[in-house]
C-alpha cells in the first residue's frame, strides 16, 4: 500500500499505549509531594450553610488543609466574570466555595487535602454542616410557569402561516414528547493534577476537550498570565461534551496547589460525576399537518428545556424541525425553564438528538395518520434545500442513505400493521428515523517538522477524546509527506502547541485535519525549495504539482527519487519546520453543511412482560470523505449503543423534594450492557464535497446517535401498537 493512508482502516496509533496501561490520564499524573483532594457535596438542594465545622476534619492524621467558603482566599471572590470559560452560557458561572449559598443538591461545599486519598476521604466524612433549607423546585414540569425566552437565541424565523395550513389540512397530529435528565458517565472520571512550581507557574494535567479552555479559566480566576499556566491533556477516557467546559475539580486542584504550594490532585468519584452538567430534561410540543397525499403543510414545534437558575444553557432543538423536511409553513419556539439544578451541558449531539427524537417520532405518527409507509413519507417530503437559512446544501446524500439502509436492513419486510407479527412470545416491529448533524469547520493551526532522522512531527492543541484523533491526524500527515505512518509523531493536548478549537461538535477531522494537511503540504514545499537548491539537476524547474512524495522519497516527474533524509543531510539541516493557520474556505457560508444518516431498527417486545429488546440496527451514514473507516465505524457503533440507552434505559431520577439525584451510580442509572447490544451495523454512503472542508471530510462523532431513539420508539409502536412519547421506554409504559 506504500504510504497511502487516507481512507484506510488504520489501527489506532495509540492503541498499544492504551491497552498496556502506558497512556497516562489526567488523574494518573504524579509528582513529588502530591496532596490528594476529596470533595464534600451539599446534601440540600437550595438554601444556605449556617455553620460548617472542620475541627474533626483537621484532626485526622495526614490532613493538610480544608477549604470551605469561610476560608477561601479573598482574591478568589472578587469578580464573577473571571470564572467564565469559552463555552459559558449567558448568566453567572458557578463559583465553587464562593459563599454560603447552596444552589443545587450535590454542590461542592468543601475540599479536604491530605497526604493520601484515603485520609482525605475519611476526613471529608467528618465535616459537620448545618443548613437553612429553602423550598426546592428541581423539576421541569414544576417550573413551567417560569419558562422564558430571555437570553435565549431566537430559533429560525417562522415561514408561512401554520394556523391556516393546519386548519385546512387533511391529516393532523397534536402531540407532546418528553425526556428525563441524562448524565455523562465517561469511563474516566473528571480529574486534575496541578503542579505548583517555585517560580509561581503551574503545570496542569486536566481532563478537558480543549486545553485552551482550562488555561483561560485558570488565568481568569487565579489572576495568572497565560505564560504561567501550561495545561496538558494527552489522553481522555471519553468525554462527549462533559469535558467541554472546565469542571469544578480544576478550580479545587489549582486552589490546593497554589495555597499549599505543592502539587495537588482532585479526582471526582463516580457519584460526583452526577454533580455537574447533564443533558437537560425536555418537553416538546408538536402540531403537524399534511395534505391528502401526505405532503407536509405545517410544522409547529415548541420546546421547553430546563436550565439552572444562574446560567441559560440552550440548544438547537427546534431548528431541526425547520431543516429536515420540505414544508412551507413552519413555526418554532424554544423556551428555558430555570430549576434548582446545576447548569446542563452539551452531551453527544446536544439539541440534535433531543429535537430529532421528537421530530422523527412525530413524522412516524404523521405517516401513520396519512396512511403512508414511514420511508415513503420521508422521501415524499425530502428537503432539497435548507429552508431555515434559504441555502443549498454543500452535499446531501440522504436519499442514498435511505435506499442503502432499506436494502441492507430489508425494510420491505416491515409489518405494515402495528402489532401484526409475533414470533414465540415476542411481538416484532420495524422502525426507522433520519439522523443529521452539523458539518462544521473551525479555524485551526498546526506545526509540522521533518528531522534528519527521518521523523515527521506534527502538533496542534486539539484533543483525542477516544475518537481516534491521534490516528486520523497521523494518517493525513503520513500520506501527505509520503512517509510510513510509524515515522510520524502527532502531538496534541498541550497549550504549548499551536491553537486548535476544542474537540467537540464533530468538527475535529474537518478543522484540525485540514490544518494538518495544509501544514504538511507547506512542509513539502519547503523541502522542494531545498531540493531545488541542492539537487538542481532534478528539481530546479519542479513545482509542487510535479513532485510526488512516497515511501520517504520525493520524485520530480520520473527522475531519480531523492530520499528526504538525504536531502536534509546534503543541506546540512537538522530539522525543517513550518507552522500554518488554516481557515474554512470563504464561500463556505453560502452553503448549508450537514452530515446525514438513516437508521432502521428491529425490536422484539415480550407480549406479557413488555420488555423491549433491540434485535438489530442498521445505520447508513453520509459524512463526506471517510478518512478512517475503522474509527468512523467505531464512532457510529458507539453512538448507536448510546441511542439504545437513551431510548430504553437512561433516566436521571431527581427527588422532587430535595433535588437529589437518586440514582447517582452505575448500578441504578441504567446504560446498555453487552446483553442489550447486538446486530449493529454501520455503512457509509459515498459523498464528495469540496466545500465542507479542504479534506472533503464531515464529522461522524455525533451523527450516529441522532436517529436511534426515535427509530426504536417507532419500532416499538410497530411491534405493539403502543406509542410511547416519554423516554425511556420502560416496560411499565407498554403494559
Ligand atoms: Mo460534543 S457534545 O461537542 O463532545
Amino acid at each position: 500500500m506504500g504510504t497511502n493512508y487516507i481512507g484506510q482502516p488504520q489501527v489506532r496509533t495509540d492503541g498499544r499505549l492504551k491497552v498496556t496501561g502506558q497512556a497516562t490520564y489526567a488523574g494518573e499524573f504524579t509528582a513529588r509531594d502530591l496532596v490528594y483532594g476529596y470533595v464534600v457535596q451539599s446534601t440540600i438542594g437550595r438554601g444556605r450553610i449556617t455553620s460548617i465545622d472542620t475541627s474533626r476534619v483537621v484532626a485526622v492524621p495526614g490532613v493538610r488543609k480544608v477549604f470551605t467558603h469561610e476560608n477561601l482566599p479573598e482574591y478568589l471572590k472578587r469578580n464573577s466574570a473571571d470564572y467564565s470559560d469559552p463555552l459559558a452560557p449567558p448568566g453567572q458561572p458557578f463559583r465553587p466555595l464562593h459563599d454560603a449559598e447552596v444552589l443545587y443538591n450535590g454542590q461542592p461545599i468543601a475540599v479536604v487535602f491530605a497526604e493520601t486519598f484515603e485520609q482525605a476521604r475519611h476526613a471529608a466524612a467528618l465535616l459537620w454542616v448545618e443548613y437553612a433549607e429553602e423550598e426546592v423546585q428541581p423539576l421541569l414540569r414544576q417550573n413551567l410557569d417560569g419558562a422564558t425566552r430571555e437570553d435565549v437565541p431566537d430559533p429560525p424565523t417562522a415561514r408561512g402561516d401554520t394556523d391556516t395550513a393546519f386548519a385546512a389540512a387533511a391529516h393532523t397530529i397534536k402531540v407532546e414528547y418528553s425526556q428525563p435528565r441524562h448524565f455523562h458517565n465517561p469511563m474516566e472520571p473528571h480529574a486534575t493534577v496541578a503542579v505548583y512550581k517555585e517560580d509561581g507557574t503551574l503545570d496542569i494535567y486536566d481532563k478537558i476537550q480543549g486545553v485552551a479552555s482550562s488555561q483561560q479559566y485558570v488565568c481568569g480566576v487565579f489572576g495568572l498570565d497565560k505564560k504561567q499556566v501550561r495545561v496538558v491533556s494527552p489522553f481522555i477516557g471519553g468525554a462527549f461534551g462533559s469535558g467541554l467546559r472546565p469542571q469544578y475539580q480544576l478550580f479545587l486542584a489549582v486552589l490546593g496547589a497554589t495555597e499549599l504550594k505543592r502539587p495537588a490532585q482532585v479526582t471526582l468519584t463516580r457519584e460526583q460525576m452526577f454533580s455537574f452538567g447533564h443533558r437537560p430534561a425536555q418537553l416538546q410540543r408538536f402540531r403537524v399537518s399534511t395534505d391528502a397525499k401526505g405532503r407536509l403543510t405545517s410544522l409547529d414545534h415548541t420546546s421547553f428545556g430546563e436550565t439552572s437558575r444562574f446560567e441559560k444553557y440552550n440548544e438547537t432543538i427546534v431548528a431541526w424541525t425547520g431543516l429536515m423536511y420540505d414544508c412551507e409553513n413552519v413555526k418554532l419556539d424554544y423556551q428555558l425553564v430555570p430549576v434548582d439544578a446545576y447548569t446542563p451541558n452539551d452531551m453527544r449531539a446536544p439539541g440534535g438528538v433531543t429535537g430529532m427524537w421528537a421530530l422523527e417520532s412525530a413524522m412516524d405518527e404523521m405517516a401513520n395518520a396519512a396512511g403512508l409507509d414511514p420511508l415513503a413519507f420521508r422521501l415524499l417530503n425530502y428537503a432539497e434545500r435548507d429552508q431555515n437559512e434559504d441555502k443549498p446544501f454543500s452535499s446531501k446524500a440522504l436519499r442514498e442513505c435511505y435506499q442503502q439502509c432499506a436494502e441492507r436492513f430489508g425494510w420491505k419486510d416491515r409489518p405494515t400493521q402495528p402489532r401484526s407479527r409475533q414470533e414465540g412470545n415476542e411481538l416484532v416491529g420495524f422502525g426507522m428515523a433520519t439522523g443529521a448533524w452539523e458539518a462544521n469547520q473551525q479555524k485551526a493551526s498546526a506545526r509540522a517538522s521533518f528531522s534528519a532522522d527521518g521523523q515527521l512531527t506534527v502538533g496542534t492543541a486539539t484533543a483525542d477524546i477516544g475518537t481516534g484523533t491521534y490516528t486520523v491526524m497521523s494518517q493525513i500527515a503520513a500520506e501527505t509527506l509520503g512517509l510510513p505512518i510509524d515515522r510520524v509523531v502527532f502531538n496534541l493536548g498541550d497549550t504549548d502547541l499551536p491553537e486548535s478549537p476544542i474537540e467537540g461538535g464533530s468538527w475535529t477531522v474537518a478543522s484540525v485535519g485540514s490544518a494538518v494537511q495544509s501544514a504538511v503540504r507547506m512542509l513539502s514545499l519547503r523541502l522542494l525549495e531545498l531540493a531545488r537548491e541542492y539537487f538542481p539537476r532534478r528539481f530546479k524547474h519542479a513545482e509542487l504539482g510535479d513532485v510526488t512524495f512516497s515511501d520517504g522519497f520525493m520524485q520530480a516527474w520520473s527522475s531519480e527519487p531523492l530520499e528526504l533524509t538525504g536531502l536534509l543531510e546534503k543541506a546540512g539541516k537538522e530539522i525543517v519546520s513550518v507552522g500554518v493557520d488554516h481557515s474554512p474556505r470563504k464561500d463556505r457560508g453560502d452553503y448549508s453543511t450537514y452530515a446525514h444518516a438513516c437508521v432502521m431498527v428491529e425490536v422484539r417486545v415480550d407480549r406479557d412482560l413488555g420488555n423491549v429488546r433491540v434485535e438489530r440496527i442498521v445505520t447508513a451514514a453520509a459524512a463526506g470523505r471517510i478518512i478512517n473507516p475503522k474509527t468512523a465505524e467505531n464512532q457510529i457503533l458507539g453512538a448507536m449503543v448510546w441511542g439504545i440507552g437513551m431510548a430504553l434505559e437512561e433516566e436521571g431520577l431527581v427527588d422532587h423534594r430535595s433535588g437529589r439525584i437518586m440514582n447517582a451510580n452505575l448500578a441504578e442509572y441504567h446504560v446498555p450492557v453487552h446483553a442489550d447490544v447486538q446486530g449493529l451495523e454501520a455503512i457509509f454512503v459515498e459523498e464528495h464535497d469540496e466545500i465542507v472542508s479542504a479534506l472533503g471530510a464531515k464529522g461522524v462523532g455525533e451523527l450516529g446517535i441522532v436517529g436511534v431513539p426515535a427509530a426504536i420508539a417507532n419500532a416499538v409502536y410497530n411491534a405493539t401498537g403502543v406509542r410511547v412519547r416519554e423516554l425511556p421506554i420502560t416496560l411499565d409504559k407498554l403494559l
Side-chain angles (χ1 to χ4, degrees), residues 23-24 67 85 120 252 255 280 329 364 441 455 459 563 719:
T24 310
F67 291 101
D85 58 72
L252 298 177
L255 171 67
N329 305 296
D364 199 70
Q441 186 188 354
Q455 180 177 295
E563 190 159 13

Side-chain angles (χ1 to χ4, degrees), residues 198 204 328 380 467 480 511 532 545 558 566 576 607 640 655 683-684 687:
E198 268 174 21
I204 297 173
E328 292 307 320
L380 182 67
T467 43
T480 307
S511 312
R532 284 186 194 130
S558 54
V576 181
R607 202 192 51 179
M640 285 154 83
D655 182 347
I683 51 183
F684 290 103
E687 232 174 24

Side-chain angles (χ1 to χ4, degrees), residues 184 209 239-244 279 313 345-350 437 465 502-507 642 702:
H184 276 287
Q209 288 173 244
F240 314 110
S242 66
L244 288 173
R279 194 193 297 284
Y313 170 80
N345 72 7
D346 291 323
M347 184 185 282
R348 201 105 280 215
W437 188 248
I465 61 173
I502 48 151
E503 176 162 69
S506 301
W507 59 51
W642 199 337
E702 293 166 283

Side-chain angles (χ1 to χ4, degrees), residues 547-586:
V547 180
T548 44
F549 289 82
S550 180
D551 294 299
F553 290 81
M554 59 192 290
Q555 182 183 28
W557 302 286
S558 54
S559 67
E560 189 196 342
L562 170 65
E563 190 159 13
L564 299 180
T565 48
L567 172 63
L568 260 68
E569 198 186 324
K570 176 92 182 224
K573 290 203 178 289
E574 275 304 306
I575 194 159
V576 181
S577 276
V578 299
V580 303
D581 303 318
H582 186 84
S583 295
R585 50 185 270 178
K586 288 203 174 61

Side-chain angles (χ1 to χ4, degrees), residues 7 85-86 159 177 180 187 221 237 245 337 413 437 500 526 547 578 694 712:
D85 58 72
R159 52 182 186 258
Y177 302 95
M187 271 169 65
V221 175
R245 296 186 70 180
V337 179
D413 298 330
W437 188 248
S500 187
R526 248 346 97 72
V547 180
V578 299
I712 292 175

Side-chain angles (χ1 to χ4, degrees), residues 113-131:
F113 284 101
E115 296 297 332
T116 70
F117 177 79
E118 289 75 15
Q119 288 167 336
R121 182 176 58 185
H122 170 63
L126 302 175
L127 186 74
W128 189 257
V129 187
E130 285 175 17
Y131 301 96

